């Protein structure tokens, strides 16, 4: 049997979520824009899903836009809020997901936006004062990952929002990895990205919540659905699914975080004790409960992953986008990890609901690293 420890890449659809969405694919199949009872049934499910999402995010129902996932939400947030503002300066960090970095780069190339990558420390933490120092009168937006997808390092989102607001700048939080593990409401974020497939909803579902008062230029133009912020017939079943998944994850969050982080800490300690030269990447304590990320200097990350898979454990080198490539992770390089060491990265991301000790996994990691080392 395979033990799946790559939950930051994606998760299976939860049975409760599948059950909640199923009838909106078949029986209540209407187009929510239609003015008849079939359409109205779909529209009321969509409204209900929007209200549920808004509660978890601490936003208004009208702020919530359903999207196709994290990539779309990040593109829409960054392009939409910067272009809508009429201002020309965008701030992010070098450790963001590619969907943030590439959206920012697009604005710099084609819209003459001035881009600042504000530095993080060696653990991947952005100091609010460092952020404050780069903000300007013409700063349109700050876009920051709440928790990093490769290391799990968590930012002090509320402090970053406070610093941005002091200068009248809105904060967009990419909460794709944080959702289900960390609180999303009450942080002061002006825009929040969530991806359904990381929290037990299907792939192709996402949320972008943007506070209503902010000028926003949509990515998709057309029939004006989603209050004009995302045209196209909404995926009602997908909206029902992501709303249910987010609500469930949020309700379970505190218990899950306590149990899973204890298992993770024991796992990290055992790996560091058993594997000579192994180092944890990211922050030792301010990290997502489910993330344990290492470098194993002197090995090759991809080969260690293959050795682990032979032992029934599936994990990854970091971001799924970079998986299989030999390139060193841009995140680890930005943290000051040497390129040769960065190429030895292995990330384990644990599921909600985990109860079993990961000692056997740590033992398998030690065997896998030693098998690669003795060959190399
Ligand atoms: C932090 C972060 N942002 C955005 C994304 C993109 O989300 P999606 O896969 O839904 O496009 C990911 C996916 O791994 C991610 O980890």
């Amino acid at each position: 049997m395979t033990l799946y420890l790559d939950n930051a890449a994606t998760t299976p659809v939860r049975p409760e979520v599948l059950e909640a969405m199923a009838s909106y694919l078949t029986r209540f199949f209407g187009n929510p824009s239609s003015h008849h009872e079939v359409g109205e049934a779909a529209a009321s499910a969509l409204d209900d899903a929007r209200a549920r999402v808004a509660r978890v995010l601490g936003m208004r129902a009208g702020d919530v836009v359903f999207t196709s996932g994290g990539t779309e939400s990040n593109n829409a947030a960054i392009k939409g809020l910067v272009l809508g503002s009429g201002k020309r300066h965008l701030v992010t960090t070098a450790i963001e997901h590619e969907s943030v970095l590439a959206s920012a780069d697009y604005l710099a190339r084609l819209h003459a936006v001035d881009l600042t990558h504000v530095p993080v420390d060696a653990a991947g933490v952005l100091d609010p004062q460092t952020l404050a120092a780069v903000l300007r009168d013409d700063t349109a937006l700050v876009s920051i990952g709440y928790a990093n997808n490769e290391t799990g390092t968590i930012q002090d989102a509320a402090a970053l929002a406070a610093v941005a607001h002091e200068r009248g700048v809105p904060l967009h939080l990419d909460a794709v990895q944080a959702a289900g593990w960390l609180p999303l409401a009450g942080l002061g974020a002006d825009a929040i990205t969530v991806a359904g497939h990381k929290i037990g909803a299907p792939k192709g579902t996402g949320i972008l919540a943007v506070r209503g008062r902010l000028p926003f230029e949509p990515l998709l133009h057309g029939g004006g659905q989603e209050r004009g912020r995302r045209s196209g017939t909404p995926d009602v079943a997908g909206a029902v699914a992501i709303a249910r998944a987010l609500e469930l994850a949020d309700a379970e969050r505190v218990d899950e975080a306590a149990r899973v982080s204890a298992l993770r800490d024991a796992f990290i300690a055992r790996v560091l004790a058993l594997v000579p030269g192994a180092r944890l990447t990211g922050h030792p304590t301010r990290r997502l409960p489910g993330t344990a990320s290492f470098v194993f200097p002197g090995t090759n990350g991809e080969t260690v992953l293959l050795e682990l898979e032979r032992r029934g454990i599936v994990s990854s080198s970091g971001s799924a986008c970079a998986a299989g490539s030999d390139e060193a992770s841009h995140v680890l390089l930005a943290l000051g990890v040497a390129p040769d060491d960065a190429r030895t990265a292995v990330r384990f991301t644990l599921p909600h609901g985990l109860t079993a000790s990961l000692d056997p996994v740590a033992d398998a990691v030690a065997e896998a690293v030693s098998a690669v080392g003795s060959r190399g």
Side-chain angles (χ1 to χ4, degrees), residues 69-71 74 97 99 149 174 176-177 195 197-198:
T71 295
N74 282 343
H97 186 265
S99 55
N149 54 315
D174 175 355
V176 166
Q177 295 296 340
H197 71 109
K198 313 285 190 183

Side-chain angles (χ1 to χ4, degrees), residues 8-10 67-75 95-100 145-150 174-178 193-198 202-206 318-321 347:
T10 198
T67 71
S68 67
T71 295
E72 181 188 328
S73 295
N74 282 343
N75 271 261
I95 61 168
E96 302 305 327
H97 186 265
E98 286 79 356
S99 55
V100 169
Y146 189 2
N148 186 265
N149 54 315
E150 297 194 26
D174 175 355
V176 166
Q177 295 296 340
T193 289
V194 175
H197 71 109
K198 313 285 190 183
K203 292 161 193 60
T205 62
S319 92
C321 315
R347 174 194 73 176

Side-chain angles (χ1 to χ4, degrees), residues 152-314:
T153 296
I154 298 167
Q155 305 298 346
D156 186 345
L160 297 174
V163 158
H165 292 167
E166 262 172 44
R167 293 295 299 266
V169 179
L171 174 77
H172 165 240
L173 266 194
D174 175 355
V176 166
Q177 295 296 340
W181 294 115
L182 304 179
L184 301 180
L187 301 169
D190 303 279
I192 301 181
T193 289
V194 175
H197 71 109
K198 313 285 190 183
I199 55 170
K203 292 161 193 60
T205 62
I207 295 161
L208 172 61
V210 180
R211 288 201 196 281
R213 62 183 161 72
L214 288 174
F216 178 85
E217 187 58 41
L219 221 48
L220 298 182
H221 300 92
Q225 290 91 341
E226 301 290 272
R227 298 183 177 224
R229 292 180 161 195
R230 197 227 190 216
S231 286
T233 302
D235 172 5
V236 178
V240 169
I242 195 170
R244 185 83 186 111
L246 190 63
E247 258 187 340
L248 284 170
D250 197 59
E252 298 162 355
R253 182 169 57 74
V254 173
D255 288 349
E256 288 299 322
R259 185 170 25 66
V260 174
S261 55
L263 293 167
R264 176 211 58 193
D265 287 343
F267 172 65
I268 290 174
R270 194 168 173 97
V271 169
L272 295 178
L274 292 179
V275 182
R279 293 201 318 265
L280 186 70
T281 60
H283 197 278
T285 53
R286 267 172 64 175
R287 57 193 304 131
L288 286 176
T291 303
S293 53
F294 302 93
V295 287
F296 300 118
T299 67
N300 171 304
E302 290 299 323
T303 322
V304 172
L305 292 176
L306 288 176
E307 285 293 332
L308 280 170
E309 193 159 1
R310 276 162 38 110
R311 290 164 175 79
I313 296 154
V314 190

